[in-house]
Amino acid sequence: MTDDSQRNFRSVYYEKVGFRGVEEKKSLEILLKDDRLGILPPHHESHAKVMMYRKDQYSDVLHALKVIRFVSDATPQVEVYLRMYQLESGKLPRSPSFPLEPEDEVFLAIAKAMEEMVEDCVDCYWIIRCFVNQLNTKYRDFLPQLPKAFEQYLNLEDSRLLSHLKTCSAVSKLPYDLWFKRCFAGCLPESSLQRVWDKVVSGSCKILVFVAVEILLTFKIKVMALNSAEKITKFLENIPQDSSDAIVSKAIDLWHKHCGTPVHSA
Amino acid sequence: MAQQANVGELLSMLDSPMLGVRDDVTAVFKENLSSDRGPMLVNTLVDYYLETNSQPVLHILTTLQEPHDKHLLDKINEYVGKAATRLSILSLLGHVIRLQPSWKHKLSQAPLLPSLLKCLKMDTDVVVLTTGVLVLITMLPMIPQSGKQHLLDFFDIFGRLSSWCLKKPGHVAEVYLVHLHASVYALFHRLYGMYPCNFVSFLRSHYSMKENLETFEEVVKPMMEHVRIHPELVTGSKDHELDPRRWKRLETHDVVIECAKISLDPTEASYEDGYSVSHQISARFPHRSADVTASPYVDTQNSYGSATSTPSSTSRLTLLNTPGQLPQTLSSPSTRLITEPPQAILWSPSMVCGMTTPPTSPGNVPPDLSHPYSKVFGTTGGKGTPLGTPATSPPPAPLCHTDDYVHISLPQATATPPRKEERTDSARPCLHRQHHLPNDRGLEEPLGSKGSVTLSDLPGFLGDLASEEDSIEKDKEEAAISKELSEITTAEAEHVVPRGGFDSPFYRDSLPGSQRKTHSAASSAQGASMNPEPLHSSLDKLGPDTPKQAFTPIDLPCGSADESPAGDRARQTSLETSILTPSPCKIPPQRGMGFGSGQPPPYDHLFEVALPKTAYHFVSKKTEELLKKAKGSTEEDFLPSTSPMEVLDRLIQQGADAHSKELNKLSLPSKSVDWTHFGGSPPSDEIRTLRDQLLLLHNQLLYERFKRQQHALRNRRLLRKVIKAAALEEHNAAMKDQLKLQEKDIQMWKVSLQKEQARYSQLQEQRDTVVTQLHSQIRQLQHDREEFYNQSQELQTKLEDCRNMIAELRIELKKANNKVCHTELQLSQVSQKLSNSESVQQQMEFLNRQLLVLGEVNELYLEQLQNKHSDTTKEVEMMKAAYRKELEKNRSHVLQQNQRLDTSQKRILELESHLAKKDHLLLEQKKYLEDVKLQARGQLQAAESRYEAQKRITQVFELEILDLYGRLEKDGLLKKLEEEKTEAAEAAEERLDCCDDGCSDSVVGHNEEASGHNGETKAPRPGSTWGSSGSRGGGGSSSSSELSTPEKPPNQRAGPFSSRWETAMGEPSGSIPTTVGSLPSSKSFLGMKARELFRNKSESQCDEDGLTISSLSETLKTELGKDLGVEAKTPLNLDGPHPSPPTPDSVGQLRIMDYNETHHEHS
């Protein structure tokens, strides 16, 4: 993916025919190599040991939570993940009955989506943990800028739609939290979400903007028909799931179009 | 009023018989007109003219200048509206217009024009109509651009009048109709010439109506046969015709000529500029008349006659060789043919005009190749008119025109069948044509062969002509030039001469006499009878010629052209009389021929249709009577002419004849009887008719005169061009001469230049030789000079040498002198030495003797020595052998050394490669190490994260525990159960609360506390305590060993305390609790190492802090153990700065002092 020489020489042909996944496989390989999430070290030798550590850690934390009776066997897995994460980050509330913070909600949404993708709970916990960590550390500065970028690209793609949104004063009320903080968790089905998150994990949070733009473009007619910001927001929060795959594909195209190859984009 | 009266008087004076008075009055009027701008005077003049018909007034009116034109036109317009004055005012208008006043262009805008047109459309008086139409025709070329507005009016008028010609509204006299017909014909020509497209479309629309069809057949169609197809019909359009730009560059006479060009009627037509093939014949006429050479006909006849003429025709020719025509033809050729025979062949319009240099090819082409028509017409028309009328040839054209009218009847007179028979003589035209053939040949013959050419002569003739053609061609150029000149001269000559006399047909009338009148009458009838149809029918039967001839209304000109010789004759009246005598005997054969060719008279009925019958009857009645009396022979001839003009001409002539005869018959007192007087006796109607006719004739005449003037104008212009061209040619010739002269000059100059060049080159050579000679001399002299110079040089060097030698010799002399002195000195010395040497000699002798003795002794010893020499050689050999052996030994040793060197070098190489390998290995090891490091780091990170997690877990646990404790306490159960322990529990609780508040580091502090007994205190001591009091050297190690033992807690305490003491001296300790957390935990080995490292860096500070903490905690512990009540105070001390510590410090201090002393004692 980095060079043309490294690219699969058939990829051009594949792209013509319409297969896009060929290149993604390679990007996954690259991802596997240097583990952007930082769960496993690059060395295979230490994988077993590190993995053992991770498991130990997981079981320790879980045990601790159980000991202090924060979680029980009846607690939903997602909440268990949340409590573990809270414990590890030192943010565990004094009581499980305390109301959840907004960031906890984000975590829950992501965890819920991730739970669908990953079977093993240890793996799942670690991926969620690192994913959220990445969002909170690496993308801390980027995420607030995404709404602006979203407006800019929407203007490029369809200025009329944007003007419509502006006239409805819906621009500020769009579900930015759902899109950019939760990374579409709960908005898109997991199969599509996986592809988006791949990009996010591998370093590009801009893909989120394009997915959002593409969602608007796809449901342009419906959005244009709606006149109040609330309705638009409501609709966008609950978009139909059937076309999500196409949306993601188009969004990736858009992303390629505007940001070049994924390697160059931050 | 006085002025009015004055004007009246003056007007009456105008008509006074006194010429002087008349001129004076005219001058007065003109002055008045120039000064007065009012309309009154003009009006008066017009009125007066209408009353009196006064000529001077007419003169004044016609010469009116610009400001008065409006008044005049207004006045005329006014009178045109009134029927009574219409005729006279129209004639006045005609007079005015014909003079082409400078304001003629205003006519188109004047209200007069519409009213004139209206009058022409409404009026029923033929005289007025004819006059009006003639005025209109005259006016049209002056205001061509006005056509736009009035075009339809013109056409309407034409339509109306043409139908008039046929329908003859009852009260109109037939005679008038002839005039009307003529004027309509002229109008037709004018309109067709000027606006062909519009006119044709008008004709098409107008005569497509059934009610007009008859008019068309009878009146318009014959007219159309007298015009060619107008080129504008092909190239132009309706709009283009009316375009003012088209007319802007055409003057009035141009327009007239333009109109005449399209006419085929010789009385109307103009044949300028070799207009087209069909005009060639007519074009020849002018040529003929101009230089009177008949050669084009000769040419065509040669080619044509031989080719086409059948035996029958030739026989006819001889038969037809009527005396009347031969003389005619011969009369003119006899005067000019001899002088310029060849030009005719090469005649071309351009040559006539002198516009271009005479082109040879066009001259040859027309008769033979390119113009089949010309051949046809040559035989048909051309032959018939060898002396064709110069109808349009530049200067004499107008004259000849008038001549035409005069002599129309002449040829007819020559061939004079009885009138009744003539009608049936349908073959007439062709006969006419053919009987000219011999005439043409006759033209070329010398004067001697004046007589008729017999049939037998024909072939020879033809041959002659053929041969003549060649010579003709050779002469053509010269001929062209001379012809031009002659044209100019004749033109001018003729211009002058005939003006006065020949202009008017009336004048001509008096000349030919009564004889002509009869002919004219006949011709009028015949001319009227002429229709193209009979011609065609007759021609059709003529054989090979016919298809081409079928084209020919041109026959008509032929016929009429026959009369043209009369024009020539007019100038040779003496000849004329004899020629003109008719010979009736010739006619029968002609007629016979006509019948022989089997021509039925199919046009009998057409006669009556074509001609106004009444006119014919009227005229014929009178003329017959007259002719019987006057000539005894009435001769009438059919000529194939239907031109209304000719009809009118003949009518005029007949009328004139009739008039004179009538007068004679009536035996009136005088021939110059007054009209009024004359009108008295005959029926007034007739008289009126006659008067009107006269008026009409006058109008016609004036119109023709106007045309003549236009032609004259044009002729003048053409003449000017000719003269210009001639002048240019002269100029060209002069230029050529000059050019030649200059060329000669140039030649001369060239020759002289060559001479000069030769001379110059010669001189150059001479000079060169001299120069070379001088150069060689110079060189020689220079050479000599150099030689001399060299010699002198040599001599000088020799001189120098000599001088040197002299100097040397002198020096030598001096030296020699010195030597002499010296030798003298030496001599004296030698003499002394000599004495000495003598003494020495004596000694020598003595010594020699001794030597001898010693020699003998030596010999003796030598003998002894030789005896001993043999033993030494063996020793030397032995030594040599030993030496060799030693050498070999050394060599082998060297070899050995070399081998060793090699091996060692190899060894070195091996070792180096080993080294490289090792380096590589090292690198790999390093990489591996890195790898391992990374791996370890990964693991470490994982472990750390696990540790972190663990930490969190423990924290949580602790929190949980504390929470539980809190709950327990709240329950109060604990208090009740164990009251003794309450204080301790509270303290613990408080402490934990502190941890909760601040940080978890207090836990670490506890840990340290726990492990502080063995490890923690061990490390700091050697550096800090003994380092600070470094003078104690070796005591340190012993003390450390002592300290490591846990049995000596006091020592432990003493160390920290002493250090603390020292630091307390140096710096204020205020931030103890904050620094506590930064210390790494002492639990792990790493932590200990790090501490050591840390201590090394900043020895005192951290250690001391750590120590203070530990010591403090220890003291606290001990105090806790001793007294719980005190414990409550210590946490406060930890938080707060240093208010409380002094008490334990002071105690510690004391202890330290003690221990330090004990230490000293120990060491």
Side-chain angles (χ1 to χ4, degrees), chain B residues 190-431:
Chain B
R190 186 65 81 237
L191 289 175
Y192 180 68
M194 287 175 73
Y195 313 107
C197 295
N198 285 296
F199 188 52
V200 165
S201 79
F202 160 75
L203 291 178
R204 203 177 293 145
S205 63
H206 188 259
Y207 291 107
S208 60
M209 288 182 276
K210 260 192 180 170
E211 65 266 25
N212 294 326
L213 193 62
E214 198 192 358
T215 314
F216 177 72
E217 284 291 334
E218 303 302 337
V219 181
V220 182
K221 203 175 164 192
M223 284 178 183
M224 286 172 70
E225 279 151 6
H226 287 277
V227 289
R228 303 182 308 108
I229 285 187
H230 199 294
E232 284 285 330
L233 284 174
V234 180
T235 59
S237 68
K238 279 189 182 180
D239 293 334
H240 177 245
E241 266 169 24
L242 301 174
D243 192 354
R245 277 173 293 176
R246 182 188 170 212
W247 299 109
K248 232 168 225 174
R249 56 196 169 77
L250 294 177
E251 287 174 42
T252 306
H253 62 89
D254 285 322
V255 179
V256 172
I257 297 298
E258 280 289 319
C259 295
K261 272 179 183 175
I262 50 97
S263 173
L264 293 168
D265 189 338
T267 61
E268 277 280 339
S270 165
Y271 305 114
E272 245 181 45
D273 300 344
Y275 208 56
S276 71
V277 173
S278 63
H279 273 242
Q280 281 223 323
I281 297 142
S282 42
R284 277 162 193 156
F285 299 131
H287 157 70
R288 284 229 157 170
S289 64
D291 39 298
V292 201
T293 48
S295 22
Y297 303 100
V298 174
D299 200 35
T300 51
Q301 274 175 327
N302 285 343
S303 56
Y304 190 76
S306 57
T308 59
S309 59
T310 57
S312 66
S313 68
T314 46
S315 67
R316 243 181 260 161
L317 294 175
T318 52
L319 284 168
L320 290 168
N321 197 3
T322 56
Q325 300 210 330
L326 243 188
Q328 283 174 23
T329 54
L330 288 172
S331 61
S332 51
S334 62
T335 50
R336 298 181 193 173
L337 181 94
I338 307 156
T339 54
E340 308 148 328
Q343 296 158 11
I345 302 172
L346 303 162
W347 184 87
S348 73
S350 61
M351 279 163 71
V352 172
C353 290
M355 296 306 222
T356 57
T357 51
T360 52
S361 55
N364 287 331
V365 172
D368 294 320
L369 299 169
S370 64
H371 305 296
Y373 284 125
S374 73
K375 289 176 184 175
V376 174
F377 298 137
T379 51
T380 57
K383 284 166 195 169
T385 59
L387 298 170
T389 53
T392 54
S393 74
L399 307 177
C400 297
H401 251 301
T402 56
D403 286 349
D404 271 345
Y405 301 128
V406 178
H407 295 289
I408 278 163
S409 59
L410 281 180
Q412 292 159 359
T414 59
T416 52
R419 188 199 287 165
K420 285 155 196 170
E421 288 171 8
E422 281 169 4
R423 288 192 182 169
T424 58
D425 199 352
S426 61
R428 186 73 202 184
C430 53
L431 293 179

Side-chain angles (χ1 to χ4, degrees), chain B residues 891-902:
Chain B
R891 266 179 197 156
S892 66
H893 192 67
V894 166
L895 261 174
Q896 264 186 338
Q897 289 292 333
N898 276 343
Q899 280 168 349
R900 267 183 207 164
L901 188 67
D902 284 348

Side-chain angles (χ1 to χ4, degrees), chain B residues 916-932:
Chain B
K917 269 182 197 168
K918 280 210 172 143
D919 281 345
H920 188 67
L921 253 175
L922 206 64
L923 270 177
E924 275 181 357
Q925 288 293 327
K926 268 183 189 169
K927 269 187 197 167
Y928 181 67
L929 194 63
E930 284 290 319
D931 226 24
V932 171

Side-chain angles (χ1 to χ4, degrees), chain B residues 944-970:
Chain B
E944 258 175 27
S945 80
R946 202 169 68 148
Y947 165 68
E948 283 290 324
Q950 288 293 345
K951 222 161 73 175
R952 296 288 178 198
I953 289 164
T954 47
Q955 272 180 24
V956 170
F957 280 164
E958 276 176 11
L959 264 177
E960 190 66 24
I961 290 162
L962 288 174
D963 202 24
L964 289 173
Y965 280 150
R967 277 185 207 165
L968 282 174
E969 273 173 23
K970 275 175 190 170

